[in-house]
Amino acid sequence: MGKITRITHKVGMINTPLILIILLLWATVLSTTGLPSAYAWFALKLVLPFLGMAGLFISLILVIIALCKKRQIASHLFSVVLCSIMALHLLLTLNMIQMPYPARIDKTTPVLTAEWPLKQATVVGWGGDSTAVNLPHVIWPSERWAYDLVMEPYDSGSTSSEDYGIWDQEVLAPVSGTVIAAYDKEPDITPGSEDILSVEGNHVYLVVDETGTYLLLNHLRQNSVTVKVGDHVNPGDILGRVGNSGSTSEPHLHIHHQRQNPESTLHPTLAEGLPLYFKGTDADPMPQKGTVVYPQH
């Protein structure tokens, strides 16, 4: 009985903290809102699986050593199972399990209905509330309801930005707000290349008059931004032009709505995304992938 007690104690000392961490992270994601939930989701997808793989490697070595020395392996086998569970979260990271970020939107969440940010007929490349129509975005907290907008022609495979319909189109302010960030010094990259210099690329960020929340418009053309920090804009004012800067496969406009100031968080993606609706078009307020939107400016 003494040996069993020692083994049990050893299992508890090594693995109980790991079990508590896993449970705490999932409980935070599923039952809270705001930055704690966002940070927990990033930990589940970008930290836990790699810790699990490292722990699995170590645990397997310890099992082999214990077998060679004819020692008890119960605690090590439990660690193998636990680290395997941690490592399996890599399936979320690689989108082999396509799970949207489980946002909990309460009655106090600001609802923002904005004007369409482009003058011409636009195709929603990605947009909506599910992985089927918005996979690159719904899996991350800040971009939970983000849109990628393109124009015909698009998805052509051309390496020339000029061959894409949305290239150099004017980007209009969708709301009344104040510019909190304006940057356009990053070169546009070749469509389809991997010459990515940043995630957001050239951008304009607004704090919205109506809600006090933030609107982010990314991937603008180099040297095209027409506003500066501190400027107040109204719907329809020109902010810049669509480019192909940042993490992008072809020219498009990325736009999303979030609660936290992107200039104050550890990274613009570490924020709580909020729903974004549009008015003044012929489409649904939250248009989905594949929708052709005709603005009624």
Side-chain angles (χ1 to χ4, degrees), residues 186-257:
E186 185 173 315
D188 295 282
I189 66 174
T190 301
S193 74
E194 298 295 329
D195 302 327
I196 297 169
L197 300 177
S198 69
V199 175
E200 302 82 11
N202 301 313
H203 57 267
V204 173
Y205 300 160
L206 304 174
V207 56
V208 183
D209 287 348
E210 178 185 356
T211 59
T213 53
Y214 299 86
L215 204 60
L216 286 68
L217 301 99
N218 296 337
H219 311 310
L220 305 183
R221 185 174 182 177
Q222 185 180 27
N223 299 324
S224 75
V225 172
T226 59
V227 294
K228 63 182 183 301
V229 173
D231 286 351
H232 186 271
V233 297
N234 294 308
D237 290 347
I238 298 173
L239 302 178
R241 291 179 177 272
V242 178
N244 196 45
S245 59
S247 179
T248 170
S249 59
E250 66 177 73
H252 72 282
L253 176 65
H254 171 102
I255 180 172
H256 77 261
H257 178 213

Side-chain angles (χ1 to χ4, degrees), residues 4-80:
I4 294 175
T5 300
R6 288 194 300 272
I7 292 173
T8 303
H9 178 71
K10 189 176 182 180
V11 170
M13 288 290 291
I14 296 174
N15 296 308
T16 297
L18 295 179
I19 295 172
L20 291 176
I21 288 172
I22 296 171
L23 293 177
L24 178 62
L25 289 174
W26 275 108
T28 302
V29 166
L30 296 175
S31 64
T32 65
T33 60
L35 290 181
S37 179
Y39 288 166
W41 184 251
F42 272 87
L44 284 170
K45 296 189 68 168
L46 299 178
V47 178
L48 197 68
F50 300 101
L51 288 178
M53 287 187 287
L56 181 60
F57 178 74
I58 294 171
S59 298
L60 289 173
I61 291 177
L62 292 176
V63 167
I64 294 171
I65 293 173
L67 287 172
C68 292
K69 294 185 176 182
K70 297 181 180 180
R71 294 177 178 174
Q72 292 287 345
I73 63 171
S75 63
H76 301 312
L77 288 177
F78 190 87
S79 296
V80 167

Side-chain angles (χ1 to χ4, degrees), residues 249-268:
S249 59
E250 66 177 73
H252 72 282
L253 176 65
H254 171 102
I255 180 172
H256 77 261
H257 178 213
Q258 65 184 50
R259 190 185 301 275
Q260 288 78 22
N261 184 341
E263 295 293 282
S264 300
T265 55
L266 294 176
H267 190 273

